[in-house]
Coordinates of all heavy atoms in Angstrom, one line a residue:
M18 N 54.3 33.7 313.4 CA 55.0 34.7 314.3 C 56.0 33.7 315.1 O 55.6 32.6 315.5 CB 54.0 35.1 315.2 CG 54.6 36.0 316.3 SD 53.3 37.0 317.2 CE 52.4 35.6 318.1
I19 N 57.2 34.3 315.4 CA 58.2 33.7 316.3 C 58.3 34.5 317.6 O 58.4 35.7 317.4 CB 59.5 33.6 315.4 CG1 59.3 33.0 314.1 CG2 60.7 33.2 316.2 CD1 59.0 31.4 314.4
L20 N 58.5 33.7 318.7 CA 58.9 34.3 319.9 C 60.4 34.1 320.1 O 60.9 33.0 320.1 CB 58.1 33.7 321.1 CG 58.6 34.1 322.5 CD1 58.4 35.6 322.7 CD2 57.8 33.3 323.4
E21 N 61.0 35.2 320.3 CA 62.4 35.2 320.8 C 62.4 35.4 322.3 O 61.9 36.4 322.7 CB 63.3 36.3 320.1 CG 64.7 36.4 320.8 CD 65.4 37.9 320.5 OE1 64.7 38.7 319.8 OE2 66.4 38.1 321.2
L22 N 63.0 34.5 323.1 CA 63.0 34.6 324.4 C 64.4 34.7 324.9 O 65.3 33.7 324.6 CB 62.3 33.4 325.1 CG 62.1 33.5 326.6 CD1 60.7 32.9 327.0 CD2 63.1 32.9 327.4
A23 N 64.8 35.8 325.6 CA 66.1 36.0 326.1 C 66.2 35.9 327.6 O 65.4 36.9 328.2 CB 66.7 37.3 325.5
D24 N 66.8 35.1 328.2 CA 67.1 35.1 329.7 C 68.3 36.0 329.9 O 69.4 35.5 329.7 CB 67.2 33.7 330.1 CG 67.1 33.6 331.6 OD1 67.3 34.5 332.4 OD2 67.0 32.4 332.1
I25 N 68.0 37.1 330.7 CA 69.2 38.0 330.8 C 69.5 38.1 332.4 O 68.6 38.3 333.1 CB 68.8 39.5 330.3 CG1 68.4 39.3 328.8 CG2 69.8 40.5 330.6 CD1 67.8 40.7 328.2
R26 N 70.8 38.2 332.7 CA 71.3 38.4 333.9 C 72.1 39.6 334.0 O 73.1 39.7 333.1 CB 72.1 37.2 334.6 CG 71.5 35.8 334.4 CD 70.2 35.7 335.3 NE 69.4 34.5 335.0 CZ 69.5 33.6 335.9 NH1 69.9 33.7 337.1 NH2 68.7 32.4 335.6
I27 N 71.8 40.5 334.9 CA 72.5 41.8 334.9 C 73.4 41.9 336.2 O 73.3 41.1 337.0 CB 71.6 43.1 334.8 CG1 70.7 43.1 336.0 CG2 70.8 43.0 333.4 CD1 70.0 44.5 336.2
N28 N 74.3 42.9 336.1 CA 75.2 43.0 337.3 C 74.3 43.6 338.5 O 73.4 44.3 338.3 CB 76.2 44.0 337.0 CG 77.2 43.6 335.9 OD1 77.7 42.7 336.0 ND2 77.3 44.5 334.9
P29 N 74.5 43.0 339.7 CA 73.8 43.3 340.9 C 73.7 44.9 341.2 O 74.7 45.5 341.0 CB 74.6 42.5 342.0 CG 75.2 41.5 341.3 CD 75.6 42.0 340.0
G30 N 72.6 45.2 341.6 CA 72.4 46.7 342.1 C 72.3 47.6 340.9 O 72.3 48.9 341.0
K31 N 72.1 47.2 339.7 CA 72.1 48.0 338.6 C 70.7 48.0 337.8 O 70.6 48.2 336.5 CB 73.1 47.6 337.4 CG 74.6 47.8 337.9 CD 74.9 49.3 338.2 CE 76.3 49.3 338.8 NZ 76.6 50.7 339.0
Q32 N 69.7 47.6 338.6 CA 68.3 47.4 337.9 C 67.8 48.8 337.5 O 67.2 48.8 336.3 CB 67.3 46.8 339.0 CG 67.6 45.4 339.4 CD 68.6 45.2 340.6 OE1 69.3 46.3 340.9 NE2 68.6 44.2 341.1
A33 N 67.9 49.9 338.0 CA 67.5 51.1 337.6 C 68.0 51.4 336.2 O 67.4 51.9 335.3 CB 67.6 52.2 338.6
E34 N 69.3 51.3 336.2 CA 70.1 51.7 335.0 C 69.8 50.7 333.8 O 69.5 51.3 332.7 CB 71.6 51.6 335.2 CG 72.1 52.7 336.2 CD 72.2 52.2 337.5 OE1 71.5 51.3 338.0 OE2 73.0 52.8 338.3
F35 N 69.6 49.5 334.1 CA 69.2 48.5 333.0 C 67.8 48.7 332.6 O 67.4 48.7 331.5 CB 69.4 47.1 333.5 CG 69.1 46.1 332.5 CD1 70.0 46.0 331.3 CD2 67.9 45.3 332.4 CE1 69.7 45.1 330.3 CE2 67.7 44.4 331.5 CZ 68.6 44.3 330.4
D36 N 66.9 49.1 333.6 CA 65.4 49.3 333.3 C 65.4 50.3 332.1 O 64.7 50.3 331.1 CB 64.6 49.8 334.4 CG 64.3 48.7 335.4 OD1 64.7 47.4 335.1 OD2 63.8 48.9 336.5
A37 N 66.2 51.6 332.3 CA 66.1 52.6 331.4 C 66.8 52.1 330.1 O 66.5 52.5 329.0 CB 66.9 53.8 332.0
A38 N 67.9 51.5 330.2 CA 68.7 51.0 328.9 C 67.8 50.0 328.1 O 67.7 50.2 327.0 CB 70.0 50.3 329.3
I39 N 67.1 49.2 328.7 CA 66.3 48.2 327.9 C 65.2 48.8 327.2 O 64.9 48.6 326.1 CB 66.1 46.9 328.6 CG1 65.6 45.8 327.6 CG2 64.9 47.2 329.7 CD1 65.6 44.4 328.2
Q40 N 64.6 49.7 328.0 CA 63.4 50.5 327.3 C 63.8 51.4 326.2 O 63.2 51.5 325.2 CB 62.7 51.3 328.4 CG 62.0 50.3 329.4 CD 61.4 51.1 330.4 OE1 60.3 51.8 330.3 NE2 61.9 51.0 331.7
R41 N 65.1 52.1 326.4 CA 65.6 52.8 325.3 C 66.0 52.0 324.1 O 65.7 52.5 323.0 CB 66.8 53.6 325.9 CG 67.4 54.5 324.9 CD 68.6 55.4 325.6 NE 69.7 55.4 324.6 CZ 70.9 55.2 324.7 NH1 71.4 54.8 325.8 NH2 71.7 55.3 323.6
G42 N 66.8 51.0 324.3 CA 67.1 50.1 323.2 C 66.0 49.6 322.4 O 66.1 49.4 321.2
I43 N 64.9 49.1 323.1 CA 63.6 48.7 322.4 C 63.1 49.8 321.6 O 62.8 49.5 320.5 CB 62.6 48.0 323.4 CG1 63.3 46.6 324.0 CG2 61.4 47.9 322.7 CD1 62.5 46.1 325.1
A44 N 62.9 50.9 322.2 CA 62.2 52.1 321.6 C 63.1 52.6 320.3 O 62.6 52.9 319.3 CB 62.1 53.1 322.6
E45 N 64.4 52.7 320.5 CA 65.3 53.3 319.5 C 65.8 52.3 318.4 O 66.2 52.7 317.3 CB 66.5 54.0 320.2 CG 66.0 55.1 321.0 CD 67.2 55.8 321.7 OE1 68.4 55.4 321.5 OE2 67.0 56.7 322.6
V46 N 65.8 51.0 318.8 CA 66.5 50.1 317.9 C 65.6 48.9 317.6 O 65.2 48.8 316.3 CB 67.9 49.6 318.5 CG1 68.5 48.6 317.5 CG2 68.8 50.7 318.9
I47 N 65.3 48.1 318.5 CA 64.5 46.9 318.2 C 63.1 47.2 317.5 O 62.8 46.5 316.6 CB 64.2 46.1 319.5 CG1 65.4 45.8 320.2 CG2 63.2 44.9 319.3 CD1 66.1 44.5 319.7
S48 N 62.3 48.1 318.0 CA 61.1 48.4 317.5 C 61.0 48.9 316.0 O 60.0 48.9 315.4 CB 60.3 49.4 318.4 OG 60.8 50.7 318.3
K49 N 62.2 49.3 315.5 CA 62.4 49.9 314.2 C 62.8 48.8 313.2 O 63.0 48.9 312.0 CB 63.3 51.1 314.1 CG 62.6 52.2 315.0 CD 63.5 53.5 315.0 CE 62.9 54.4 315.9 NZ 63.8 55.5 316.2
S50 N 63.1 47.6 313.7 CA 63.7 46.5 312.9 C 62.7 45.8 312.0 O 61.6 45.7 312.5 CB 64.4 45.5 313.8 OG 65.4 46.2 314.6
K51 N 63.1 45.3 311.0 CA 62.2 44.6 310.0 C 61.6 43.4 310.8 O 62.4 42.6 311.3 CB 63.0 44.2 308.8 CG 62.2 43.4 307.9 CD 63.1 43.0 306.7 CE 62.2 42.1 305.7 NZ 63.1 41.6 304.6
G52 N 60.3 43.1 310.7 CA 59.6 42.0 311.2 C 59.3 42.1 312.7 O 58.6 41.2 313.2
Y53 N 59.6 43.2 313.3 CA 59.3 43.4 314.7 C 57.7 43.5 314.8 O 57.0 44.2 314.1 CB 60.0 44.6 315.2 CG 59.3 45.0 316.6 CD1 59.9 44.6 317.8 CD2 58.4 46.0 316.7 CE1 59.5 45.0 319.0 CE2 57.9 46.5 317.9 CZ 58.5 46.0 319.1 OH 57.9 46.3 320.3
I54 N 57.2 42.7 315.8 CA 55.8 42.7 316.0 C 55.5 43.5 317.3 O 54.5 44.3 317.5 CB 55.1 41.4 316.0 CG1 55.2 40.8 314.5 CG2 53.7 41.4 316.4 CD1 54.9 39.3 314.4
G55 N 56.2 43.0 318.4 CA 56.0 43.5 319.9 C 57.0 42.8 320.8 O 57.8 42.0 320.4
H56 N 56.8 43.3 322.0 CA 57.7 42.8 323.0 C 57.1 42.8 324.4 O 56.2 43.6 324.6 CB 59.1 43.5 323.0 CG 59.0 44.9 323.6 ND1 58.4 46.0 322.8 CD2 59.0 45.4 324.9 CE1 58.2 47.0 323.7 NE2 58.7 46.7 324.9
K57 N 57.7 42.1 325.3 CA 57.4 42.2 326.7 C 58.7 42.0 327.5 O 59.6 41.2 327.0 CB 56.4 41.0 327.1 CG 55.0 41.1 326.5 CD 54.2 39.9 327.1 CE 52.9 39.9 326.4 NZ 52.0 38.8 326.9
V58 N 58.8 42.7 328.6 CA 60.0 42.6 329.4 C 59.5 42.2 330.8 O 58.7 43.0 331.4 CB 60.9 43.8 329.6 CG1 62.1 43.6 330.4 CG2 61.3 44.3 328.1
Q59 N 60.0 41.2 331.4 CA 59.6 40.7 332.8 C 60.7 40.8 333.6 O 62.0 40.5 333.3 CB 59.1 39.2 332.8 CG 57.9 39.0 331.9 CD 56.6 39.5 332.3 OE1 56.4 39.5 333.6 NE2 55.8 40.1 331.5
K60 N 60.7 41.4 334.8 CA 61.7 41.5 335.8 C 61.5 40.5 336.8 O 60.4 40.2 337.4 CB 61.6 42.9 336.5 CG 61.8 44.1 335.5 CD 61.6 45.4 336.3 CE 62.6 45.7 337.5 NZ 62.6 47.0 337.9
G61 N 62.6 39.9 337.3 CA 62.5 38.9 338.4 C 62.2 39.4 339.8 O 62.6 40.5 340.0
I62 N 61.4 38.6 340.5 CA 61.1 39.2 341.9 C 62.1 38.3 342.9 O 62.7 39.1 343.6 CB 59.6 38.6 342.1 CG1 58.6 39.4 341.3 CG2 59.3 38.9 343.7 CD1 57.3 38.9 341.3
E63 N 62.1 37.0 342.8 CA 63.0 36.4 343.6 C 64.5 36.6 343.3 O 65.3 36.7 344.1 CB 62.9 34.8 343.6 CG 61.5 34.4 344.2 CD 60.3 34.6 343.3 OE1 60.5 35.0 342.1 OE2 59.2 34.4 343.8
T64 N 64.8 36.9 342.0 CA 66.2 37.2 341.6 C 66.0 38.5 340.8 O 65.8 38.5 339.6 CB 66.7 36.1 340.6 OG1 66.5 34.8 341.3 CG2 68.2 36.4 340.3
P65 N 66.2 39.6 341.5 CA 66.0 40.9 340.9 C 67.1 41.4 339.7 O 66.8 42.2 339.0 CB 66.1 42.0 342.0 CG 66.9 41.2 343.1 CD 66.6 39.7 342.9
E66 N 68.1 40.5 339.7 CA 69.0 40.7 338.6 C 68.7 40.0 337.3 O 69.4 39.9 336.3 CB 70.5 40.4 339.0 CG 71.0 41.1 340.0 CD 70.6 40.4 341.5 OE1 70.2 39.4 341.5 OE2 70.7 41.2 342.5
R67 N 67.6 39.2 337.3 CA 67.1 38.3 336.2 C 66.0 39.1 335.4 O 65.0 39.4 336.1 CB 66.8 37.1 336.6 CG 66.4 36.1 335.5 CD 66.1 34.8 336.0 NE 65.8 33.8 334.8 CZ 65.2 32.6 335.1 NH1 65.0 32.3 336.3 NH2 65.0 31.9 334.0
Y68 N 66.1 39.1 334.1 CA 65.0 39.6 333.2 C 64.8 38.6 332.1 O 65.7 37.9 331.7 CB 65.5 40.9 332.6 CG 65.6 42.1 333.4 CD1 66.6 42.2 334.4 CD2 64.8 43.2 333.5 CE1 66.8 43.3 335.3 CE2 64.8 44.3 334.3 CZ 65.9 44.4 335.2 OH 66.0 45.4 336.0
V69 N 63.5 38.7 331.8 CA 63.1 37.8 330.6 C 62.5 38.7 329.4 O 61.5 39.5 329.8 CB 62.0 36.7 330.9 CG1 61.5 36.0 329.7 CG2 62.7 35.9 332.0
L70 N 63.2 38.8 328.3 CA 62.8 39.6 327.3 C 62.2 38.8 326.2 O 62.7 37.8 325.8 CB 64.1 40.4 326.6 CG 63.9 41.0 325.4 CD1 62.8 42.2 325.5 CD2 65.2 41.6 324.8
M71 N 61.0 39.0 325.8 CA 60.2 38.3 324.9 C 60.0 39.2 323.6 O 59.4 40.3 323.9 CB 58.9 37.8 325.3 CG 59.1 36.8 326.4 SD 57.6 36.4 327.4 CE 57.6 37.8 328.5
I72 N 60.5 38.9 322.5 CA 60.3 39.7 321.3 C 59.6 38.9 320.3 O 60.0 37.8 320.0 CB 61.5 40.3 320.7 CG1 62.4 41.1 321.8 CG2 61.3 41.1 319.5 CD1 63.6 41.6 321.3
Y73 N 58.6 39.5 319.7 CA 57.7 38.8 318.7 C 58.1 39.2 317.3 O 58.1 40.4 317.1 CB 56.3 39.0 318.9 CG 55.8 38.4 320.4 CD1 55.8 39.3 321.4 CD2 55.4 37.1 320.5 CE1 55.4 38.7 322.7 CE2 55.1 36.6 321.7 CZ 55.0 37.4 322.8 OH 54.7 37.0 324.1
W74 N 58.5 38.3 316.4 CA 59.0 38.7 315.1 C 58.1 38.0 314.1 O 57.5 36.8 314.5 CB 60.5 38.1 315.0 CG 61.5 38.7 315.9 CD1 61.9 38.2 317.0 CD2 62.3 39.9 315.6 NE1 62.9 39.0 317.6 CE2 63.1 40.0 316.7 CE3 62.2 40.9 314.6 CZ2 64.0 41.1 316.8 CZ3 63.1 41.9 314.8 CH2 64.0 42.1 315.9
E75 N 58.0 38.5 312.9 CA 57.3 37.8 311.8 C 57.9 36.5 311.5 O 57.2 35.6 311.3 CB 57.1 38.8 310.7 CG 56.2 39.9 310.9 CD 56.2 40.9 309.6 OE1 56.5 40.5 308.5 OE2 55.7 42.0 309.8
T76 N 59.3 36.4 311.3 CA 59.9 35.2 310.9 C 61.1 35.1 311.8 O 61.7 36.1 312.3 CB 60.1 35.3 309.4 OG1 61.3 36.2 309.2 CG2 59.1 35.6 308.6
L77 N 61.7 33.8 311.7 CA 62.9 33.6 312.5 C 63.9 34.4 311.7 O 64.9 34.9 312.3 CB 63.2 32.1 312.5 CG 64.6 31.7 313.0 CD1 64.5 32.1 314.6 CD2 64.7 30.2 313.0
E78 N 63.9 34.4 310.3 CA 64.9 35.2 309.6 C 65.0 36.7 309.9 O 66.1 37.3 309.9 CB 64.7 35.1 308.0 CG 65.7 35.8 307.2 CD 65.5 35.5 305.8 OE1 65.2 34.4 305.4 OE2 65.5 36.6 305.0
N79 N 63.8 37.3 310.3 CA 63.9 38.7 310.7 C 64.6 38.9 311.9 O 65.5 39.9 312.0 CB 62.3 39.1 311.1 CG 61.4 39.3 309.9 OD1 60.3 39.1 310.1 ND2 62.0 39.7 308.8
H80 N 64.7 38.0 312.8 CA 65.7 38.1 314.0 C 67.0 37.7 313.7 O 67.8 38.5 313.8 CB 65.1 37.3 315.1 CG 66.1 37.3 316.3 ND1 66.5 36.3 317.0 CD2 66.6 38.4 317.1 CE1 67.3 36.7 318.0 NE2 67.5 38.0 317.9
M81 N 67.2 36.5 313.1 CA 68.5 36.0 313.0 C 69.4 36.5 311.9 O 70.6 36.7 311.9 CB 68.5 34.4 312.8 CG 67.9 33.8 314.0 SD 68.8 34.0 315.5 CE 70.2 33.2 315.1
V82 N 68.8 37.0 310.8 CA 69.3 37.6 309.7 C 69.2 39.1 309.7 O 70.2 40.0 309.8 CB 69.0 37.0 308.3 CG1 69.7 37.7 307.2 CG2 69.2 35.4 308.4
D83 N 67.9 39.7 309.5 CA 67.7 41.0 309.2 C 68.1 41.8 310.5 O 68.6 42.9 310.2 CB 66.2 41.3 309.0 CG 65.6 40.5 307.8 OD1 66.5 40.3 306.8 OD2 64.5 40.0 307.8
F84 N 68.1 41.3 311.7 CA 68.4 42.1 312.7 C 69.8 41.7 313.4 O 70.7 42.6 313.4 CB 67.4 41.9 314.1 CG 67.8 42.6 315.2 CD1 68.0 44.1 315.3 CD2 68.3 42.0 316.5 CE1 68.4 44.7 316.5 CE2 68.7 42.5 317.6 CZ 68.7 44.0 317.6
R85 N 70.1 40.4 313.5 CA 71.4 40.1 314.1 C 72.6 40.4 313.2 O 73.7 40.6 313.6 CB 71.4 38.7 314.5 CG 70.3 38.2 315.6 CD 70.8 38.3 317.0 NE 72.0 37.9 317.4 CZ 72.3 36.9 318.4 NH1 71.3 36.5 319.0 NH2 73.5 36.7 318.6
E86 N 72.4 40.4 312.0 CA 73.5 40.7 311.0 C 73.5 42.1 310.5 O 74.2 42.3 309.5 CB 73.4 39.6 309.8 CG 73.6 38.2 310.2 CD 73.5 37.2 309.2 OE1 73.5 37.6 307.9 OE2 73.5 36.0 309.4
S87 N 72.7 42.9 311.1 CA 72.7 44.3 310.7 C 73.6 45.2 311.9 O 73.7 44.8 313.0 CB 71.3 44.8 310.7 OG 70.7 45.0 312.0
P88 N 73.8 46.5 311.5 CA 74.4 47.4 312.4 C 73.5 47.6 313.6 O 74.0 47.9 314.6 CB 74.6 48.6 311.5 CG 74.6 48.2 310.2 CD 73.7 47.1 310.1
A89 N 72.1 47.5 313.4 CA 71.3 47.7 314.6 C 71.6 46.8 315.8 O 71.5 47.2 316.9 CB 69.8 47.4 314.0
F90 N 72.1 45.6 315.4 CA 72.4 44.7 316.6 C 73.5 45.2 317.5 O 73.5 45.2 318.6 CB 72.7 43.2 316.1 CG 73.1 42.2 317.2 CD1 72.1 41.7 318.1 CD2 74.4 41.8 317.3 CE1 72.4 40.9 319.0 CE2 74.6 40.9 318.3 CZ 73.7 40.4 319.2
A91 N 74.5 45.7 316.8 CA 75.8 46.3 317.5 C 75.3 47.6 318.3 O 75.7 47.8 319.4 CB 76.8 46.7 316.6
E92 N 74.3 48.3 317.8 CA 73.7 49.4 318.5 C 73.0 49.0 319.7 O 73.1 49.6 320.8 CB 72.8 50.2 317.5 CG 72.2 51.5 318.1 CD 71.4 52.3 317.1 OE1 71.3 51.9 316.0 OE2 70.9 53.3 317.6
W93 N 72.2 48.0 319.5 CA 71.4 47.4 320.6 C 72.3 46.9 321.8 O 72.2 47.2 323.0 CB 70.6 46.3 320.1 CG 70.0 45.3 321.1 CD1 70.5 44.0 321.2 CD2 69.0 45.4 322.0 NE1 69.8 43.3 322.2 CE2 68.9 44.3 322.8 CE3 68.2 46.4 322.5 CZ2 68.0 44.0 323.7 CZ3 67.3 46.4 323.6 CH2 67.2 45.2 324.2
R94 N 73.3 46.2 321.3 CA 74.2 45.6 322.4 C 75.0 46.7 323.1 O 75.5 46.6 324.2 CB 75.1 44.6 321.6 CG 74.6 43.3 321.4 CD 73.8 42.7 322.7 NE 74.7 42.0 323.4 CZ 74.9 40.7 323.5 NH1 74.3 39.9 322.7 NH2 75.8 40.3 324.5
G95 N 75.2 47.9 322.3 CA 76.0 48.9 322.8 C 75.2 49.6 324.0 O 75.7 50.2 325.0
I96 N 73.8 49.7 323.9 CA 73.0 50.2 324.8 C 72.7 49.2 326.2 O 72.9 49.7 327.3 CB 71.6 50.5 324.2 CG1 71.7 51.6 323.1 CG2 70.7 50.9 325.3 CD1 70.5 51.8 322.3
V97 N 72.4 47.9 325.9 CA 72.1 47.1 326.9 C 73.4 46.3 327.5 O 73.5 45.8 328.6 CB 70.9 46.2 326.6 CG1 69.7 47.0 326.4 CG2 71.2 45.3 325.5
G98 N 74.3 45.9 326.5 CA 75.3 45.0 326.8 C 76.2 45.3 328.1 O 76.6 44.5 328.9
P99 N 76.6 46.6 328.3 CA 77.3 46.9 329.4 C 76.7 46.5 330.8 O 77.5 46.4 331.7 CB 77.5 48.5 329.4 CG 77.3 48.8 328.0 CD 76.4 47.8 327.5
H100 N 75.5 46.3 330.8 CA 74.8 45.8 332.1 C 74.8 44.3 332.3 O 74.4 43.9 333.4 CB 73.4 46.3 332.1 CG 73.3 47.9 331.9 ND1 73.5 48.7 333.0 CD2 73.0 48.5 330.9 CE1 73.5 49.9 332.5 NE2 73.1 49.9 331.2
F101 N 75.1 43.6 331.3 CA 75.0 42.1 331.3 C 76.1 41.6 332.3 O 77.2 41.9 332.2 CB 75.2 41.4 330.0 CG 74.1 41.7 329.0 CD1 74.3 41.4 327.7 CD2 72.8 42.2 329.3 CE1 73.3 41.6 326.7 CE2 71.9 42.5 328.3 CZ 72.1 42.2 327.1
A102 N 75.7 40.6 333.2 CA 76.6 39.9 334.1 C 77.2 38.8 333.2 O 78.3 38.4 333.4 CB 75.9 39.5 335.3
S103 N 76.4 38.2 332.2 CA 76.9 37.1 331.3 C 75.9 37.2 330.1 O 75.0 38.0 330.1 CB 76.7 35.7 332.0 OG 75.4 35.6 332.3
A104 N 76.5 36.6 329.1 CA 75.7 36.6 327.7 C 74.3 36.0 327.9 O 74.1 35.1 328.7 CB 76.4 35.8 326.8
P105 N 73.3 36.7 327.5 CA 72.0 36.3 327.6 C 71.8 34.8 326.9 O 72.5 34.5 325.9 CB 71.1 37.3 326.9 CG 71.9 38.5 326.8 CD 73.3 38.0 326.8
H106 N 70.9 34.0 327.5 CA 70.5 32.7 326.8 C 69.3 33.1 326.0 O 68.4 33.5 326.4 CB 70.3 31.7 327.9 CG 69.9 30.4 327.2 ND1 70.7 29.5 326.6 CD2 68.6 29.9 327.1 CE1 70.0 28.6 326.3 NE2 68.8 28.6 326.5
V107 N 69.5 32.9 324.6 CA 68.3 33.1 323.6 C 68.0 31.9 323.1 O 68.6 31.1 322.5 CB 68.9 34.2 322.7 CG1 67.7 34.4 321.7 CG2 69.2 35.4 323.3
E108 N 66.5 31.7 322.9 CA 65.8 30.5 322.2 C 64.7 31.1 321.5 O 64.2 32.3 321.7 CB 65.4 29.5 323.2 CG 66.6 28.8 323.8 CD 66.1 27.5 324.5 OE1 65.3 26.9 324.1 OE2 66.7 27.3 325.6
H109 N 64.2 30.4 320.5 CA 63.0 30.8 319.7 C 62.0 29.8 319.9 O 62.3 28.6 320.0 CB 63.5 30.9 318.2 CG 64.5 32.0 318.1 ND1 65.9 31.6 318.0 CD2 64.3 33.3 317.8 CE1 66.6 32.8 317.8 NE2 65.8 33.8 317.7
F110 N 60.7 30.3 319.7 CA 59.5 29.4 320.0 C 58.4 29.7 319.0 O 58.3 30.8 318.5 CB 59.0 29.7 321.4 CG 59.9 29.3 322.4 CD1 61.0 30.2 322.9 CD2 59.9 28.1 323.1 CE1 61.8 29.9 323.9 CE2 60.8 27.7 324.0 CZ 61.7 28.6 324.5
N111 N 57.7 28.6 318.7 CA 56.4 28.8 317.8 C 55.3 28.6 318.9 O 55.5 27.7 319.8 CB 56.3 27.7 316.7 CG 57.2 27.9 315.6 OD1 57.2 28.9 315.0 ND2 58.0 26.9 315.2
L112 N 54.1 29.4 318.7 CA 53.0 29.2 319.5 C 52.3 27.8 319.3 O 52.0 27.4 318.2 CB 52.1 30.4 319.2 CG 50.8 30.4 320.0 CD1 51.2 30.6 321.6 CD2 49.9 31.4 319.5
L113 N 51.9 27.2 320.4 CA 51.3 25.9 320.3 C 49.7 26.3 320.7 O 48.8 25.9 320.0 CB 51.8 24.9 321.3 CG 51.0 23.6 321.4 CD1 51.0 22.8 320.0 CD2 51.6 22.7 322.4
T114 N 49.6 27.0 321.7 CA 48.2 27.4 322.1 C 48.3 28.6 323.1 O 49.2 28.9 323.6 CB 47.6 26.2 322.9 OG1 46.1 26.5 323.2 CG2 48.3 25.8 324.2
E115 N 47.1 29.3 323.2 CA 47.0 30.3 324.0 C 45.6 30.7 324.5 O 44.7 30.1 323.8 CB 47.5 31.7 323.5 CG 46.7 32.3 322.3 CD 47.3 33.5 321.6 OE1 48.1 34.2 322.3 OE2 46.9 33.7 320.5
S116 N 45.4 31.4 325.5 CA 44.1 31.7 326.0 C 43.6 33.1 325.4 O 44.5 33.8 325.0 CB 44.0 31.8 327.6 OG 44.9 32.8 328.0
N117 N 42.4 33.3 325.4 CA 42.0 34.6 324.9 C 41.7 35.6 325.9 O 41.4 35.5 327.0 CB 40.6 34.4 324.2 CG 40.9 33.6 322.8 OD1 42.0 33.8 322.3 ND2 39.9 32.9 322.4

């Protein structure tokens, strides 16, 4: 399993609109993508324009090829992209340890 972590900054004062957009984009696009396992979205407290999106994929290829090189990626960006203050910073991680 691969964790995609996206650090997202949105335009100030647009939290309600982005909250709706990211939930819609996940439900309508991301969750239907090959290799999608699950997700979490965290909202910033000290910085309310900052979000952390965590998407769990079966493989790195599921994200980087199956999703990012498909029409679904453009659809996803069409839903959430207008709210971005800058391009999200995205990295991938492998699990080292976790609590139960």
Side-chain angles (χ1 to χ4, degrees):
M18 178 174 64
I19 298 296
L20 168 63
E21 170 200 356
L22 189 142
D24 187 348
I25 300 170
R26 307 295 173 116
I27 66 164
N28 296 309
K31 299 295 183 180
Q32 290 87 347
E34 293 94 335
F35 184 70
D36 290 356
I39 196 166
Q40 291 176 75
R41 183 177 140 231
I43 290 168
E45 294 179 6
V46 182
I47 301 279
S48 67
K49 297 175 181 172
S50 298
K51 179 180 177 183
Y53 167 85
I54 296 172
H56 72 277
K57 294 180 183 180
V58 179
Q59 302 284 328
K60 294 174 63 168
I62 296 171
E63 291 82 7
T64 309
E66 298 85 18
R67 184 177 183 196
Y68 290 72
V69 175
L70 170 61
M71 295 169 278
I72 302 176
Y73 299 92
W74 299 95
E75 290 179 15
T76 68
L77 183 61
E78 182 177 311
N79 289 148
H80 177 232
M81 297 302 295
V82 177
D83 299 327
F84 176 67
R85 297 272 315 232
E86 295 181 10
S87 76
F90 181 69
E92 183 179 359
W93 159 252
R94 287 306 283 262
I96 295 169
V97 297
H100 303 281
F101 293 164
S103 59
H106 178 78
V107 178
E108 293 188 41
H109 299 92
F110 297 86
N111 285 310
L112 181 65
L113 177 62
T114 185
E115 70 180 338
S116 64
N117 290 329

